[in-house]
Amino acid sequence: QVQLVESGGGLVQAGGSLRLSCAASGSIFSVNTMGWYRQAPGKQRELVAAITSGGTTNYADSAKGRFTISRDNAKNTVYLQMNSLKPEDTAVYYCNLRMVVFDYWGQGTQVTVSS
């Protein structure tokens, strides 16, 4: 069984920063992709950023230049450093772990950016 535990969400003013963390536990394959998705009210869940176990990253256009994804493979933990936050970044952020064809999700953490 795989479990993902997120932390680091909260309320921040526009222009501020937050750092999200997600620790995975259980039967984790060494080859995997971890990422962050977000879902705002009334909108579909969308990819924010992802990183493979080899370190290859992928960012949504909205995240490029402001967000940085990183990971610690020894700890099975992924991080999302979010800078220059905007009110439109307000959403529930979900951690994702993909192994082969299986997806695992965290419970979500709320990020609210006030104007």
Side-chain angles (χ1 to χ4, degrees):
Q1 187 174 359
V2 174
Q3 185 176 16
L4 303 177
V5 178
E6 301 142 338
S7 60
L11 173 64
V12 65
Q13 289 188 333
S17 298
L18 283 174
R19 188 188 192 216
L20 305 182
S21 300
C22 172
S25 61
S27 299
I28 310 295
F29 298 162
S30 59
V31 177
N32 61 69
T33 298
M34 297 188 78
W36 291 94
Y37 288 70
R38 68 186 182 187
Q39 187 167 18
K43 295 188 176 181
Q44 290 188 330
R45 190 174 297 189
E46 62 178 5
L47 173 70
V48 177
I51 183 168
T52 69
S53 47
T56 300
T57 58
N58 180 36
Y59 291 93
D61 287 342
S62 60
K64 290 178 181 177
R66 299 188 300 127
F67 296 179
T68 302
I69 191 168
S70 61
R71 63 186 290 166
D72 184 333
N73 288 337
K75 296 181 179 179
N76 289 318
T77 299
V78 64
Y79 307 95
L80 185 67
Q81 177 67 43
M82 303 186 292
N83 299 327
S84 302
L85 283 161
K86 305 174 182 180
E88 50 264 44
D89 294 317
T90 295
V92 178
Y93 284 68
Y94 295 92
C95 178
N96 170 265
L97 169 64
R98 177 166 295 173
M99 298 188 295
V100 191
V101 297
F102 300 105
D103 277 310
Y104 300 89
W105 296 93
Q107 79 283 0
T109 185
Q110 177 70 44
V111 171
T112 302
V113 184
S114 62
S115 57

